[in-house]
Amino acid sequence: MGTLILSATAVLVVLGFSNQVLWLAAVALLYLYVRYGRTGGGSAASSSGSPSGGGSAQPASYRAYRDRRDQQAKWERRYRRERPLQTRRQDRDGSKK
């Protein structure tokens, strides 16, 4: 996909020597590719919700991954604090395996 975009941009630049509107089209094409083409969508802030299914979708950015990881750690600490008996039982059962 990137090769196609770069080829189209090169063609627009070459043709743009006679028509300056094509220069603007080339710049717009590159901007759209950099903004949306590589990541597949909007900003990382739009995906702040954590999927409940625990799927294997790749995060939009490292920051989004880190935010989800920190949120998960916070939930696990809260669970361990609020349910100490279940946590000890899970630790004990997990060590037998």
Side-chain angles (χ1 to χ4, degrees), residues 25-72:
V27 170
L29 186 64
L30 282 177
Y31 172 76
L32 291 174
Y33 173 66
V34 169
R35 179 76 172 133
Y36 300 107
R38 287 192 263 173
T39 60
S43 65
S46 65
S47 62
S48 61
S50 178
S52 60
S56 62
Q58 292 293 325
S61 68
Y62 181 70
R63 181 176 296 280
Y65 160 75
R66 207 171 55 202
D67 291 342
R68 282 198 305 276
R69 182 194 64 193
D70 293 346
Q71 183 68 38
Q72 181 68 31

mmCIF file of all heavy atoms in Angstrom, residues 25-72:
data_model
loop_
_atom_site.group_PDB
_atom_site.id
_atom_site.type_symbol
_atom_site.label_atom_id
_atom_site.label_comp_id
_atom_site.label_asym_id
_atom_site.label_seq_id
_atom_site.Cartn_x
_atom_site.Cartn_y
_atom_site.Cartn_z
ATOM 1 N N ALA A 25 -2.388 18.181 -4.582
ATOM 2 C CA ALA A 25 -2.934 16.828 -4.469
ATOM 3 C C ALA A 25 -1.880 15.869 -3.922
ATOM 4 O O ALA A 25 -2.187 14.991 -3.110
ATOM 5 C CB ALA A 25 -3.442 16.355 -5.823
ATOM 6 N N ALA A 26 -0.638 16.021 -4.356
ATOM 7 C CA ALA A 26 0.448 15.161 -3.863
ATOM 8 C C ALA A 26 0.672 15.374 -2.370
ATOM 9 O O ALA A 26 0.828 14.418 -1.602
ATOM 10 C CB ALA A 26 1.731 15.427 -4.644
ATOM 11 N N VAL A 27 0.660 16.634 -1.952
ATOM 12 C CA VAL A 27 0.849 16.939 -0.528
ATOM 13 C C VAL A 27 -0.313 16.381 0.287
ATOM 14 O O VAL A 27 -0.116 15.795 1.360
ATOM 15 C CB VAL A 27 1.002 18.462 -0.328
ATOM 16 C CG1 VAL A 27 0.952 18.823 1.147
ATOM 17 C CG2 VAL A 27 2.298 18.944 -0.952
ATOM 18 N N ALA A 28 -1.533 16.547 -0.221
ATOM 19 C CA ALA A 28 -2.704 16.025 0.486
ATOM 20 C C ALA A 28 -2.655 14.508 0.579
ATOM 21 O O ALA A 28 -2.992 13.925 1.617
ATOM 22 C CB ALA A 28 -3.983 16.471 -0.221
ATOM 23 N N LEU A 29 -2.221 13.854 -0.473
ATOM 24 C CA LEU A 29 -2.116 12.396 -0.471
ATOM 25 C C LEU A 29 -1.095 11.915 0.562
ATOM 26 O O LEU A 29 -1.358 10.984 1.319
ATOM 27 C CB LEU A 29 -1.740 11.905 -1.869
ATOM 28 C CG LEU A 29 -1.711 10.407 -2.096
ATOM 29 C CD1 LEU A 29 -3.111 9.830 -1.920
ATOM 30 C CD2 LEU A 29 -1.196 10.103 -3.480
ATOM 31 N N LEU A 30 0.045 12.568 0.599
ATOM 32 C CA LEU A 30 1.048 12.201 1.606
ATOM 33 C C LEU A 30 0.552 12.450 3.024
ATOM 34 O O LEU A 30 0.788 11.646 3.931
ATOM 35 C CB LEU A 30 2.340 12.966 1.354
ATOM 36 C CG LEU A 30 3.208 12.449 0.226
ATOM 37 C CD1 LEU A 30 4.423 13.349 0.037
ATOM 38 C CD2 LEU A 30 3.658 11.029 0.508
ATOM 39 N N TYR A 31 -0.132 13.586 3.207
ATOM 40 C CA TYR A 31 -0.660 13.892 4.538
ATOM 41 C C TYR A 31 -1.653 12.827 4.987
ATOM 42 O O TYR A 31 -1.583 12.336 6.122
ATOM 43 C CB TYR A 31 -1.319 15.266 4.551
ATOM 44 C CG TYR A 31 -2.040 15.551 5.845
ATOM 45 C CD1 TYR A 31 -1.331 15.888 6.990
ATOM 46 C CD2 TYR A 31 -3.422 15.446 5.939
ATOM 47 C CE1 TYR A 31 -1.982 16.130 8.187
ATOM 48 C CE2 TYR A 31 -4.079 15.689 7.132
ATOM 49 C CZ TYR A 31 -3.354 16.026 8.244
ATOM 50 O OH TYR A 31 -4.001 16.245 9.424
ATOM 51 N N LEU A 32 -2.559 12.461 4.113
ATOM 52 C CA LEU A 32 -3.556 11.449 4.471
ATOM 53 C C LEU A 32 -2.918 10.095 4.735
ATOM 54 O O LEU A 32 -3.337 9.355 5.625
ATOM 55 C CB LEU A 32 -4.610 11.336 3.369
ATOM 56 C CG LEU A 32 -5.531 12.552 3.231
ATOM 57 C CD1 LEU A 32 -6.437 12.389 2.020
ATOM 58 C CD2 LEU A 32 -6.352 12.739 4.490
ATOM 59 N N TYR A 33 -1.891 9.775 3.975
ATOM 60 C CA TYR A 33 -1.202 8.499 4.197
ATOM 61 C C TYR A 33 -0.509 8.483 5.555
ATOM 62 O O TYR A 33 -0.609 7.518 6.312
ATOM 63 C CB TYR A 33 -0.188 8.237 3.092
ATOM 64 C CG TYR A 33 0.662 7.027 3.365
ATOM 65 C CD1 TYR A 33 0.102 5.753 3.390
ATOM 66 C CD2 TYR A 33 2.017 7.150 3.642
ATOM 67 C CE1 TYR A 33 0.869 4.644 3.662
ATOM 68 C CE2 TYR A 33 2.785 6.047 3.917
ATOM 69 C CZ TYR A 33 2.209 4.789 3.925
ATOM 70 O OH TYR A 33 2.981 3.700 4.207
ATOM 71 N N VAL A 34 0.189 9.572 5.859
ATOM 72 C CA VAL A 34 0.904 9.626 7.147
ATOM 73 C C VAL A 34 -0.084 9.652 8.300
ATOM 74 O O VAL A 34 0.120 9.003 9.324
ATOM 75 C CB VAL A 34 1.839 10.855 7.183
ATOM 76 C CG1 VAL A 34 2.371 11.094 8.576
ATOM 77 C CG2 VAL A 34 2.979 10.673 6.206
ATOM 78 N N ARG A 35 -1.179 10.377 8.136
ATOM 79 C CA ARG A 35 -2.145 10.527 9.225
ATOM 80 C C ARG A 35 -2.970 9.270 9.461
ATOM 81 O O ARG A 35 -3.179 8.860 10.592
ATOM 82 C CB ARG A 35 -3.067 11.712 8.882
ATOM 83 C CG ARG A 35 -4.124 11.979 9.898
ATOM 84 C CD ARG A 35 -3.572 12.668 11.105
ATOM 85 N NE ARG A 35 -4.669 13.071 11.963
ATOM 86 C CZ ARG A 35 -4.687 12.858 13.254
ATOM 87 N NH1 ARG A 35 -3.657 12.317 13.836
ATOM 88 N NH2 ARG A 35 -5.713 13.213 13.967
ATOM 89 N N TYR A 36 -3.463 8.651 8.389
ATOM 90 C CA TYR A 36 -4.403 7.538 8.540
ATOM 91 C C TYR A 36 -3.923 6.217 7.940
ATOM 92 O O TYR A 36 -4.392 5.173 8.338
ATOM 93 C CB TYR A 36 -5.746 7.887 7.890
ATOM 94 C CG TYR A 36 -6.388 9.098 8.495
ATOM 95 C CD1 TYR A 36 -6.426 10.298 7.807
ATOM 96 C CD2 TYR A 36 -6.951 9.042 9.754
ATOM 97 C CE1 TYR A 36 -7.011 11.417 8.360
ATOM 98 C CE2 TYR A 36 -7.534 10.158 10.319
ATOM 99 C CZ TYR A 36 -7.566 11.344 9.616
ATOM 100 O OH TYR A 36 -8.142 12.442 10.178
ATOM 101 N N GLY A 37 -3.024 6.264 7.012
ATOM 102 C CA GLY A 37 -2.658 5.062 6.265
ATOM 103 C C GLY A 37 -1.886 4.029 7.055
ATOM 104 O O GLY A 37 -2.141 2.846 6.969
ATOM 105 N N ARG A 38 -0.941 4.471 7.849
ATOM 106 C CA ARG A 38 -0.078 3.510 8.532
ATOM 107 C C ARG A 38 -0.736 2.877 9.746
ATOM 108 O O ARG A 38 -0.548 1.707 10.006
ATOM 109 C CB ARG A 38 1.214 4.195 8.950
ATOM 110 C CG ARG A 38 2.115 4.473 7.769
ATOM 111 C CD ARG A 38 3.470 4.864 8.228
ATOM 112 N NE ARG A 38 3.539 6.326 8.221
ATOM 113 C CZ ARG A 38 4.556 7.001 8.697
ATOM 114 N NH1 ARG A 38 5.552 6.383 9.229
ATOM 115 N NH2 ARG A 38 4.560 8.297 8.667
ATOM 116 N N THR A 39 -1.497 3.640 10.512
ATOM 117 C CA THR A 39 -2.084 3.096 11.737
ATOM 118 C C THR A 39 -3.471 2.543 11.528
ATOM 119 O O THR A 39 -3.992 1.866 12.393
ATOM 120 C CB THR A 39 -2.147 4.171 12.833
ATOM 121 O OG1 THR A 39 -2.958 5.242 12.363
ATOM 122 C CG2 THR A 39 -0.769 4.666 13.177
ATOM 123 N N GLY A 40 -4.093 2.843 10.418
ATOM 124 C CA GLY A 40 -5.411 2.308 10.138
ATOM 125 C C GLY A 40 -6.545 3.075 10.777
ATOM 126 O O GLY A 40 -7.661 2.607 10.824
ATOM 127 N N GLY A 41 -6.314 4.257 11.307
ATOM 128 C CA GLY A 41 -7.420 5.008 11.875
ATOM 129 C C GLY A 41 -6.969 6.153 12.721
ATOM 130 O O GLY A 41 -5.798 6.479 12.787
ATOM 131 N N GLY A 42 -7.922 6.751 13.413
ATOM 132 C CA GLY A 42 -7.738 7.979 14.179
ATOM 133 C C GLY A 42 -6.691 7.882 15.268
ATOM 134 O O GLY A 42 -5.817 7.031 15.266
ATOM 135 N N SER A 43 -6.814 8.752 16.219
ATOM 136 C CA SER A 43 -5.815 8.852 17.272
ATOM 137 C C SER A 43 -5.994 7.748 18.309
ATOM 138 O O SER A 43 -7.008 7.068 18.369
ATOM 139 C CB SER A 43 -5.926 10.220 17.945
ATOM 140 O OG SER A 43 -7.166 10.329 18.594
ATOM 141 N N ALA A 44 -5.002 7.626 19.173
ATOM 142 C CA ALA A 44 -5.052 6.602 20.212
ATOM 143 C C ALA A 44 -6.077 6.947 21.281
ATOM 144 O O ALA A 44 -6.573 6.080 21.977
ATOM 145 C CB ALA A 44 -3.678 6.438 20.855
ATOM 146 N N ALA A 45 -6.407 8.221 21.421
ATOM 147 C CA ALA A 45 -7.367 8.635 22.438
ATOM 148 C C ALA A 45 -8.764 8.105 22.143
ATOM 149 O O ALA A 45 -9.555 7.910 23.051
ATOM 150 C CB ALA A 45 -7.402 10.158 22.536
ATOM 151 N N SER A 46 -9.064 7.855 20.875
ATOM 152 C CA SER A 46 -10.394 7.369 20.540
ATOM 153 C C SER A 46 -10.584 5.912 20.952
ATOM 154 O O SER A 46 -11.695 5.434 21.035
ATOM 155 C CB SER A 46 -10.648 7.511 19.037
ATOM 156 O OG SER A 46 -9.777 6.677 18.315
ATOM 157 N N SER A 47 -9.505 5.198 21.234
ATOM 158 C CA SER A 47 -9.614 3.800 21.623
ATOM 159 C C SER A 47 -9.273 3.615 23.094
ATOM 160 O O SER A 47 -8.604 2.661 23.466
ATOM 161 C CB SER A 47 -8.677 2.947 20.767
ATOM 162 O OG SER A 47 -7.333 3.339 20.979
ATOM 163 N N SER A 48 -9.725 4.542 23.941
ATOM 164 C CA SER A 48 -9.364 4.481 25.352
ATOM 165 C C SER A 48 -10.091 3.363 26.086
ATOM 166 O O SER A 48 -9.633 2.913 27.126
ATOM 167 C CB SER A 48 -9.661 5.823 26.027
ATOM 168 O OG SER A 48 -11.045 6.111 25.926
ATOM 169 N N GLY A 49 -11.213 2.894 25.559
ATOM 170 C CA GLY A 49 -11.935 1.811 26.205
ATOM 171 C C GLY A 49 -11.215 0.492 26.022
ATOM 172 O O GLY A 49 -10.707 0.189 24.958
ATOM 173 N N SER A 50 -11.201 -0.309 27.062
ATOM 174 C CA SER A 50 -10.516 -1.593 26.994
ATOM 175 C C SER A 50 -11.487 -2.674 26.535
ATOM 176 O O SER A 50 -12.601 -2.753 27.032
ATOM 177 C CB SER A 50 -9.960 -1.950 28.373
ATOM 178 O OG SER A 50 -9.339 -3.195 28.340
ATOM 179 N N PRO A 51 -11.086 -3.516 25.584
ATOM 180 C CA PRO A 51 -11.985 -4.578 25.150
ATOM 181 C C PRO A 51 -12.170 -5.603 26.261
ATOM 182 O O PRO A 51 -11.212 -6.033 26.892
ATOM 183 C CB PRO A 51 -11.276 -5.194 23.945
ATOM 184 C CG PRO A 51 -9.842 -4.821 24.098
ATOM 185 C CD PRO A 51 -9.825 -3.527 24.847
ATOM 186 N N SER A 52 -13.410 -5.995 26.510
ATOM 187 C CA SER A 52 -13.687 -6.914 27.608
ATOM 188 C C SER A 52 -13.376 -8.359 27.231
ATOM 189 O O SER A 52 -13.217 -9.197 28.096
ATOM 190 C CB SER A 52 -15.149 -6.790 28.033
ATOM 191 O OG SER A 52 -15.990 -7.109 26.947
ATOM 192 N N GLY A 53 -13.296 -8.628 25.934
ATOM 193 C CA GLY A 53 -13.050 -9.993 25.494
ATOM 194 C C GLY A 53 -11.599 -10.419 25.620
ATOM 195 O O GLY A 53 -11.281 -11.586 25.524
ATOM 196 N N GLY A 54 -10.699 -9.476 25.807
ATOM 197 C CA GLY A 54 -9.297 -9.828 25.931
ATOM 198 C C GLY A 54 -8.719 -10.314 24.625
ATOM 199 O O GLY A 54 -7.886 -11.205 24.598
ATOM 200 N N GLY A 55 -9.160 -9.744 23.521
ATOM 201 C CA GLY A 55 -8.713 -10.159 22.205
ATOM 202 C C GLY A 55 -7.245 -9.849 21.987
ATOM 203 O O GLY A 55 -6.590 -9.198 22.782
ATOM 204 N N SER A 56 -6.729 -10.306 20.864
ATOM 205 C CA SER A 56 -5.309 -10.129 20.574
ATOM 206 C C SER A 56 -5.094 -8.995 19.581
ATOM 207 O O SER A 56 -4.161 -9.039 18.805
ATOM 208 C CB SER A 56 -4.733 -11.427 20.017
ATOM 209 O OG SER A 56 -5.380 -11.737 18.798
ATOM 210 N N ALA A 57 -5.958 -7.984 19.589
ATOM 211 C CA ALA A 57 -5.803 -6.852 18.683
ATOM 212 C C ALA A 57 -4.582 -6.043 19.079
ATOM 213 O O ALA A 57 -4.316 -5.829 20.263
ATOM 214 C CB ALA A 57 -7.051 -5.982 18.722
ATOM 215 N N GLN A 58 -3.851 -5.582 18.110
ATOM 216 C CA GLN A 58 -2.670 -4.782 18.372
ATOM 217 C C GLN A 58 -3.091 -3.385 18.790
ATOM 218 O O GLN A 58 -4.012 -2.811 18.230
ATOM 219 C CB GLN A 58 -1.810 -4.695 17.107
ATOM 220 C CG GLN A 58 -1.175 -6.001 16.722
ATOM 221 C CD GLN A 58 -0.138 -6.450 17.733
ATOM 222 O OE1 GLN A 58 0.573 -5.634 18.316
ATOM 223 N NE2 GLN A 58 -0.055 -7.739 17.956
ATOM 224 N N PRO A 59 -2.421 -2.800 19.773
ATOM 225 C CA PRO A 59 -2.760 -1.442 20.176
ATOM 226 C C PRO A 59 -2.353 -0.446 19.104
ATOM 227 O O PRO A 59 -1.442 -0.685 18.327
ATOM 228 C CB PRO A 59 -1.946 -1.236 21.449
ATOM 229 C CG PRO A 59 -0.854 -2.235 21.380
ATOM 230 C CD PRO A 59 -1.381 -3.393 20.590
ATOM 231 N N ALA A 60 -3.050 0.700 19.079
ATOM 232 C CA ALA A 60 -2.765 1.719 18.079
ATOM 233 C C ALA A 60 -1.392 2.338 18.314
ATOM 234 O O ALA A 60 -0.734 2.751 17.383
ATOM 235 C CB ALA A 60 -3.843 2.789 18.107
ATOM 236 N N SER A 61 -0.955 2.388 19.540
ATOM 237 C CA SER A 61 0.346 2.966 19.849
ATOM 238 C C SER A 61 0.864 2.336 21.146
ATOM 239 O O SER A 61 0.140 1.651 21.871
ATOM 240 C CB SER A 61 0.224 4.475 20.011
ATOM 241 O OG SER A 61 -0.526 4.772 21.163
ATOM 242 N N TYR A 62 2.111 2.617 21.421
ATOM 243 C CA TYR A 62 2.688 2.096 22.656
ATOM 244 C C TYR A 62 2.008 2.729 23.865
ATOM 245 O O TYR A 62 1.808 2.073 24.882
ATOM 246 C CB TYR A 62 4.190 2.359 22.694
ATOM 247 C CG TYR A 62 4.832 1.823 23.945
ATOM 248 C CD1 TYR A 62 4.951 0.454 24.145
ATOM 249 C CD2 TYR A 62 5.292 2.674 24.936
ATOM 250 C CE1 TYR A 62 5.511 -0.051 25.299
ATOM 251 C CE2 TYR A 62 5.857 2.179 26.090
ATOM 252 C CZ TYR A 62 5.965 0.818 26.266
ATOM 253 O OH TYR A 62 6.511 0.326 27.408
ATOM 254 N N ARG A 63 1.625 4.004 23.730
ATOM 255 C CA ARG A 63 0.951 4.673 24.838
ATOM 256 C C ARG A 63 -0.384 4.005 25.153
ATOM 257 O O ARG A 63 -0.731 3.808 26.314
ATOM 258 C CB ARG A 63 0.733 6.151 24.523
ATOM 259 C CG ARG A 63 0.063 6.910 25.651
ATOM 260 C CD ARG A 63 -0.051 8.378 25.373
ATOM 261 N NE ARG A 63 1.224 9.051 25.250
ATOM 262 C CZ ARG A 63 1.964 9.431 26.289
ATOM 263 N NH1 ARG A 63 1.551 9.193 27.513
ATOM 264 N NH2 ARG A 63 3.112 10.048 26.107
ATOM 265 N N ALA A 64 -1.133 3.617 24.125
ATOM 266 C CA ALA A 64 -2.404 2.935 24.342
ATOM 267 C C ALA A 64 -2.173 1.591 25.021
ATOM 268 O O ALA A 64 -2.908 1.204 25.926
ATOM 269 C CB ALA A 64 -3.141 2.755 23.024
ATOM 270 N N TYR A 65 -1.134 0.884 24.578
ATOM 271 C CA TYR A 65 -0.789 -0.397 25.209
ATOM 272 C C TYR A 65 -0.438 -0.193 26.680
ATOM 273 O O TYR A 65 -0.901 -0.925 27.552
ATOM 274 C CB TYR A 65 0.390 -1.028 24.466
ATOM 275 C CG TYR A 65 1.125 -2.053 25.283
ATOM 276 C CD1 TYR A 65 0.585 -3.318 25.511
ATOM 277 C CD2 TYR A 65 2.366 -1.759 25.852
ATOM 278 C CE1 TYR A 65 1.250 -4.251 26.275
ATOM 279 C CE2 TYR A 65 3.034 -2.682 26.614
ATOM 280 C CZ TYR A 65 2.475 -3.927 26.826
ATOM 281 O OH TYR A 65 3.131 -4.845 27.592
ATOM 282 N N ARG A 66 0.377 0.823 26.942
ATOM 283 C CA ARG A 66 0.796 1.088 28.314
ATOM 284 C C ARG A 66 -0.377 1.477 29.192
ATOM 285 O O ARG A 66 -0.472 1.042 30.349
ATOM 286 C CB ARG A 66 1.846 2.196 28.291
ATOM 287 C CG ARG A 66 2.801 2.137 29.444
ATOM 288 C CD ARG A 66 3.934 3.086 29.274
ATOM 289 N NE ARG A 66 3.440 4.433 29.062
ATOM 290 C CZ ARG A 66 4.117 5.400 28.482
ATOM 291 N NH1 ARG A 66 5.328 5.169 28.039
ATOM 292 N NH2 ARG A 66 3.606 6.602 28.332
ATOM 293 N N ASP A 67 -1.294 2.279 28.653
ATOM 294 C CA ASP A 67 -2.484 2.662 29.423
ATOM 295 C C ASP A 67 -3.337 1.447 29.770
ATOM 296 O O ASP A 67 -3.805 1.309 30.903
ATOM 297 C CB ASP A 67 -3.320 3.673 28.649
ATOM 298 C CG ASP A 67 -2.638 5.026 28.535
ATOM 299 O OD1 ASP A 67 -1.699 5.292 29.320
ATOM 300 O OD2 ASP A 67 -3.053 5.808 27.657
ATOM 301 N N ARG A 68 -3.538 0.556 28.802
ATOM 302 C CA ARG A 68 -4.328 -0.651 29.080
ATOM 303 C C ARG A 68 -3.609 -1.561 30.075
ATOM 304 O O ARG A 68 -4.239 -2.146 30.950
ATOM 305 C CB ARG A 68 -4.604 -1.411 27.782
ATOM 306 C CG ARG A 68 -5.704 -0.801 26.972
ATOM 307 C CD ARG A 68 -6.264 -1.764 25.956
ATOM 308 N NE ARG A 68 -5.273 -2.317 25.065
ATOM 309 C CZ ARG A 68 -4.833 -1.721 23.954
ATOM 310 N NH1 ARG A 68 -5.302 -0.547 23.611
ATOM 311 N NH2 ARG A 68 -3.929 -2.291 23.203
ATOM 312 N N ARG A 69 -2.305 -1.672 29.940
ATOM 313 C CA ARG A 69 -1.536 -2.518 30.862
ATOM 314 C C ARG A 69 -1.615 -1.973 32.286
ATOM 315 O O ARG A 69 -1.815 -2.726 33.242
ATOM 316 C CB ARG A 69 -0.076 -2.558 30.386
ATOM 317 C CG ARG A 69 0.808 -3.445 31.234
ATOM 318 C CD ARG A 69 2.261 -3.196 30.947
ATOM 319 N NE ARG A 69 2.595 -1.832 31.332
ATOM 320 C CZ ARG A 69 3.712 -1.218 31.000
ATOM 321 N NH1 ARG A 69 4.595 -1.824 30.250
ATOM 322 N NH2 ARG A 69 3.944 0.002 31.394
ATOM 323 N N ASP A 70 -1.495 -0.654 32.438
ATOM 324 C CA ASP A 70 -1.576 -0.038 33.768
ATOM 325 C C ASP A 70 -2.970 -0.189 34.354
ATOM 326 O O ASP A 70 -3.123 -0.437 35.551
ATOM 327 C CB ASP A 70 -1.193 1.435 33.695
ATOM 328 C CG ASP A 70 0.269 1.641 33.355
ATOM 329 O OD1 ASP A 70 1.052 0.665 33.441
ATOM 330 O OD2 ASP A 70 0.635 2.775 32.986
ATOM 331 N N GLN A 71 -3.999 -0.045 33.511
ATOM 332 C CA GLN A 71 -5.377 -0.216 33.985
ATOM 333 C C GLN A 71 -5.607 -1.649 34.451
ATOM 334 O O GLN A 71 -6.215 -1.888 35.492
ATOM 335 C CB GLN A 71 -6.360 0.139 32.870
ATOM 336 C CG GLN A 71 -7.803 0.053 33.288
ATOM 337 C CD GLN A 71 -8.175 1.113 34.307
ATOM 338 O OE1 GLN A 71 -7.732 2.253 34.240
ATOM 339 N NE2 GLN A 71 -8.988 0.737 35.263
ATOM 340 N N GLN A 72 -5.097 -2.617 33.688
ATOM 341 C CA GLN A 72 -5.238 -4.025 34.074
ATOM 342 C C GLN A 72 -4.520 -4.307 35.397
ATOM 343 O O GLN A 72 -5.047 -5.005 36.259
ATOM 344 C CB GLN A 72 -4.684 -4.928 32.964
ATOM 345 C CG GLN A 72 -4.815 -6.403 33.256
ATOM 346 C CD GLN A 72 -6.249 -6.876 33.257
ATOM 347 O OE1 GLN A 72 -7.073 -6.330 32.535
ATOM 348 N NE2 GLN A 72 -6.543 -7.872 34.046
#
